[in-house]
Amino acid sequence: MRVGVVVVAGGRGSRVGADQPKQLLAIAGRSILQRSVDAFDDDRFCERVVVLPADYVNDASTLLPALATAWRFVAGGARRQDSVEAGVAALSADVDVVLVHDAARPFVSRALITRVIDRAAATGAAVPALAAVETVKHIDLATMTVRATVPRQEVWLAQTPQGFRRTVLSAAFAHNKSHDAGGDVTDEGMLAERAGFPVTIVPGDAANMKMTTAEDIARAQGPRAPRVGTGYDLHRMVEGRPLVLAGVSIPFERGPLGHSDGDVLCHSLTDALLGAAGAGDIGKHFPNTDPAWKGAPGLDLLERAVAIVHAAGFQPASADITIILERPKLLPHIDAMRADVARVLGVDLSAVSIKGKTNEGVDAVGRGEAIAAHAVAVLTARGDA
Ligand code: MG
């Protein structure tokens, strides 16, 4: 038995709202089209055809790199049935069974494909379908009122691939041509039914979802992994400078020297946020050669970093900062600093940790000549929290 497959990607996918056809959008690094084609890229099929929008046919090898078997690329038509007919016409006359698959279903399983091939060969036309789980209402569209409740067990939701003996599919196309009412045919099973052929159902697969809306694609992409960044900062401690950490003034005779206010807590955390977002570092966004940042409060830089994080599609989830300072004791000020940081990050107080440590008298920090800080920030994708 010679089995051919036609993967139909002729549509522009206007319902998704992206500026490229939806089948070219990626899920986990592989386009929907590539995934759908890969499912049929093996020697169960003697001939394989992809129907593409006409202006994409010349780019087929770029859109579908590294195919294991030979595929033919065909330009689609105005309506679905025109695209499918063009694809089927590209198959040799001696193909016995034809599978037609919608490229918007990238998660089709090998087992489902085998069920459809076997059943189509046996009965002439086979459609995978899922039983309706909701109560089904037949409605009057003009008034949006219910005409009747349809017995649910008689309602099944069709998927693809749909399989046909070549003779059945050709006769169905011919019948449709002579009776074309001008409307869209939404699946090939419908063509076969109209032509009077019995169409049998095989069990579909809930995972074989159709990617119709941007939400479908976002759901299939799943939540993005959290992102982590680290930051470090150090400033010399000198006489006559105020000691301010995260907006909290700490009484002491010395403070950090710097172009800005020398707030190592905010600076290290700013670098951690920018690092987690893959958005560079504090020197790139707030260079100390720019007079705009002279004396800039650390909390202001932190607030700007949060805006950069948001623009990159992320939001802060938590932060952990260690301040290394010989004197004074930070403990009385920790909660005030945490509250400031939590407010600027837009997170719960419990998501911000600030710890003070001494350097045990070792090195410049231990001699009180400098203050240092380490920070770790965690980001989640915006909307995932
Ligand atoms: Mg600094």
Side-chain angles (χ1 to χ4, degrees):
M1 182 175 67
R2 289 171 56 79
V3 184
V5 60
V6 176
V7 176
V8 190
R12 305 290 316 192
S14 57
R15 273 182 291 180
V16 174
D19 53 6
Q20 57 179 348
K22 71 181 169 195
Q23 59 269 23
L24 301 185
L25 298 175
I27 295 174
R30 218 155 32 114
S31 75
I32 291 170
L33 173 65
Q34 178 83 60
R35 288 174 176 277
S36 298
V37 167
D38 284 351
F40 298 88
D41 189 24
D42 61 62
D43 56 15
R44 281 177 296 175
F45 302 94
C46 60
E47 295 185 32
R48 306 158 202 86
V49 174
V50 184
V51 184
L52 292 167
D55 45 340
Y56 283 82
V57 172
N58 289 335
D59 303 325
S61 54
T62 313
L63 299 176
L64 294 163
L67 293 170
T69 63
W71 286 75
R72 233 163 290 154
F73 306 108
V74 171
R79 302 170 302 175
R80 179 192 167 89
Q81 61 261 44
D82 304 322
S83 293
V84 174
E85 192 168 10
V88 174
L91 295 172
S92 308
D94 63 352
V95 167
D96 303 302
V97 168
V98 179
L99 261 54
V100 179
H101 185 62
D102 192 333
R105 293 187 187 270
F107 304 119
V108 58
S109 70
R110 192 178 171 85
L112 175 56
I113 293 169
T114 301
R115 284 201 291 278
V116 174
I117 293 173
D118 292 348
R119 198 81 183 128
T123 67
V127 169
L130 294 176
V133 290
E134 318 278 359
T135 299
V136 179
K137 303 293 185 187
H138 179 208
I139 67 165
D140 179 87
L141 276 178
T143 59
M144 287 304 284
T145 52
V146 175
R147 284 182 168 146
T149 297
V150 181
R152 186 176 61 189
Q153 56 277 22
E154 294 180 8
V155 174
W156 289 64
L157 309 174
Q159 301 184 326
T160 71
Q162 301 188 352
F164 307 89
R165 279 195 215 121
R166 175 66 173 266
T167 50
V168 169
L169 193 55
S170 297
F173 274 124
H175 180 270
N176 185 59
K177 276 224 169 105
S178 57
H179 297 77
D180 195 344
D184 276 325
V185 172
T186 53
D187 74 350
E188 289 58 57
M190 187 172 161
L191 287 183
E193 295 151 31
R194 283 180 175 180
F197 292 102
V199 176
T200 52
I201 294 293
V202 300
D205 182 353
N208 183 26
M209 295 170 295
K210 187 171 184 178
M211 299 292 106
T212 301
T213 64
E215 288 72 31
D216 294 334
I217 294 169
R219 207 175 301 121
Q221 286 167 330
R224 283 192 285 168
R227 302 274 287 263
V228 177
T230 75
Y232 169 75
D233 194 30
L234 178 144
H235 283 261
R236 291 176 185 278
M237 293 284 277
V238 295
E239 303 277 343
R241 288 271 296 189
L243 175 57
V244 179
L245 292 171
V248 176
S249 289
I250 299 168
F252 195 52
E253 66 269 18
R254 282 176 294 145
L257 182 65
H259 181 76
S260 65
D261 68 347
D263 184 335
V264 292
L265 191 162
C266 287
H267 294 178
S268 62
L269 183 54
T270 294
D271 258 351
L273 291 169
L274 294 172
D281 65 11
I282 195 167
K284 173 187 167 186
H285 292 281
F286 319 108
N288 60 14
T289 51
D290 185 341
W293 311 119
K294 184 160 175 54
L299 275 183
D300 284 6
L301 302 188
L302 191 62
E303 197 167 350
R304 289 168 189 270
V306 170
I308 292 166
V309 161
H310 287 170
F314 295 97
Q315 62 197 6
S318 66
D320 186 15
I321 306 107
T322 301
I323 313 284
I324 310 165
L325 174 66
E326 218 59 20
R327 279 193 316 125
K329 287 243 174 293
L330 294 179
L331 192 58
H333 310 287
I334 291 284
D335 281 343
M337 293 191 276
R338 288 176 65 211
D340 282 347
V341 171
R343 174 176 48 78
V344 171
L345 298 189
V347 300
D348 194 77
L349 184 64
S350 64
V352 176
S353 158
I354 298 174
K355 292 114 58 195
K357 265 245 179 297
T358 76
N359 217 38
E360 294 283 340
V362 175
D363 290 343
V365 174
R367 290 191 297 272
E369 296 166 14
I371 178 172
H374 295 274
V376 172
V378 176
L379 309 180
T380 51
R382 282 200 101 174
D384 284 354

